[in-house]
Amino acid sequence: MSIGLEPVAVDRAEPDTAAGSEGVGRFEWRTVLRHRLPLRVMHWINLLCMLVLVGSGLQVFNAHPALYWGAQSTFAAPVFATTAVRGPDGRASGITTVGDHRFDTTGVLGVSRRADGMRVKRGFPEWATIPGPRSLALGRRWHFFFAWLWVINGACFLLWSLASRHLSRDLAMQARDWRGIGRSIVEHLRFHHPVGEEATHYNPLQKLAYLGVIFVLAPLAVLTGLSMSPQLASLLGWWLQLVGGRQSARTIHFIVMSLFVAFTVVHVLMVVYAGPINEMRSMLSGRFRVRVPRGEGAGHE
């Protein structure tokens, strides 16, 4: 995420040799401030929290690797489940059930190898869970601690975004953004990467993705997480009735986690595609280099 980009320095003008001889001298590289310090700090805290939350959440899930819909666990008809079954040859195989469909997922889900190479019955593999050893108590402690850190960090981000106008200026969908959704989809399908002034702003798909994470996925993660606690049943009873029960809340929580993982994977792939060195530098130091026509400003909103 970024805030309004502000020119902070101009590098030595470099010819745009990639544009051919006619373009030499017409473009220059400029360095702009893409991410302010508070945003960069909150970004990395968020990343740390998400990594631990996913890993510890999978550790908790492994204690009972099945999901149900409703108020109670319908063991005979899970929505999603991983287990191990022993075949005629005596070897265990991992079986994942999604509704009425069954898949052999040996090595990934149900049955996986430990660090010492031994095959064991385990929902998600050891490398995906935090902490590594199978411990429900430790997994829950890690999950609850980083969940509160994640919530506090998110609240700080929201307050800072409102105070700095990052939300209204950089993330809010404008009329031109709604009109440009189709064009943005086409550009993504053609792997077109914006340059110059265009590269310093969010495109409509980016805005929709960030707004969806901030105002849909994050609140769902918090509400479903809290509603799984028996101590909060009376406070969040209305929410449990709305989603159909505590087991439904657990299933939604798992789906939201999966969507967070998908968002992160796409985000990382886009960073690699856009130029990992430049993108990482902008999130570490705040500085981002863009190629603009000589004499034009860049990044000023």
Side-chain angles (χ1 to χ4, degrees):
M1 299 182 183
S2 67
I3 120 172
L5 311 187
E6 305 168 8
V8 294
V10 179
D11 292 342
R12 179 178 58 85
E14 301 173 5
D16 182 22
T17 54
S21 58
E22 293 183 359
V24 174
R26 294 170 54 190
F27 295 89
E28 63 185 5
W29 288 97
R30 291 194 177 180
T31 302
V32 296
L33 177 62
R34 191 179 194 186
H35 303 295
R36 293 182 181 175
L37 180 60
L39 190 61
R40 302 199 305 271
V41 172
M42 289 183 288
H43 171 273
W44 293 114
I45 293 176
N46 183 72
L47 175 61
L48 171 64
C49 290
M50 289 305 303
L51 289 174
V52 178
L53 284 173
V54 171
S56 59
L58 295 180
Q59 180 77 277
V60 175
F61 175 83
N62 276 356
H64 183 71
L67 298 172
Y68 311 94
W69 192 262
Q72 298 178 346
S73 301
T74 51
F75 298 108
V79 175
F80 173 87
T82 65
T83 188
V85 297
R86 194 169 299 279
D89 58 356
R91 300 186 63 185
S93 299
I95 299 297
T96 297
T97 303
V98 181
D100 297 328
H101 304 281
R102 289 164 59 90
F103 307 93
D104 188 329
T105 52
T106 304
V108 182
L109 301 176
V111 172
S112 59
R113 295 186 182 275
R114 295 189 317 200
D116 59 7
M118 180 177 295
R119 287 159 54 101
V120 295
K121 177 182 178 181
R122 189 178 175 91
F124 281 84
E126 185 175 316
W127 60 262
T129 60
I130 297 176
R134 182 178 300 183
S135 173
L136 173 60
L138 283 177
R140 294 182 66 179
R141 288 180 182 178
W142 281 63
H143 199 72
F144 294 156
F145 175 82
F146 281 92
W148 285 114
L149 180 60
W150 180 69
V151 168
I152 293 172
N153 187 64
C156 291
F157 166 77
L158 190 57
L159 292 174
W160 179 84
S161 296
L162 291 171
S164 65
R165 297 184 58 246
H166 171 52
L167 191 60
S168 60
R169 179 179 56 195
D170 303 320
L171 294 178
M173 291 287 289
Q174 307 295 334
R176 66 177 181 275
D177 295 317
W178 293 110
R179 293 193 299 267
I181 290 178
R183 174 173 172 266
S184 185
I185 292 175
V186 172
E187 289 180 342
H188 277 77
L189 292 176
R190 295 174 58 190
F191 294 98
H192 172 259
H193 179 61
V195 296
E197 178 72 16
E198 189 181 0
T200 66
H201 303 284
Y202 289 128
N203 62 59
L205 296 186
Q206 284 178 304
K207 289 185 176 183
L208 288 175
Y210 287 133
L211 291 173
V213 167
I214 296 169
F215 294 109
V216 179
L217 292 187
L220 271 177
V222 174
L223 277 174
T224 53
L226 291 175
S227 61
M228 283 187 284
S229 171
Q231 288 79 5
L232 295 176
S234 58
L235 181 63
L236 295 175
W238 61 273
W239 170 251
L240 289 174
Q241 291 181 0
L242 180 65
V243 300
R246 186 170 289 110
Q247 292 302 323
S248 298
R250 183 170 181 259
T251 299
I252 295 174
H253 196 72
F254 188 88
I255 293 173
V256 169
M257 179 273 296
S258 301
L259 292 175
F260 267 117
V261 172
F263 169 83
T264 303
V265 170
V266 173
H267 179 67
V268 171
L269 290 177
M270 293 305 295
V271 166
V272 172
Y273 168 70
I277 296 178
N278 199 26
E279 294 288 341
M280 286 296 295
R281 178 174 55 235
S282 71
M283 191 49 72
L284 292 172
S285 68
R287 270 54 179 174
F288 184 74
R289 298 185 75 231
V290 292
R291 182 172 62 90
V292 297
R294 182 180 294 277
E296 280 193 14
H300 211 44
E301 291 193 354

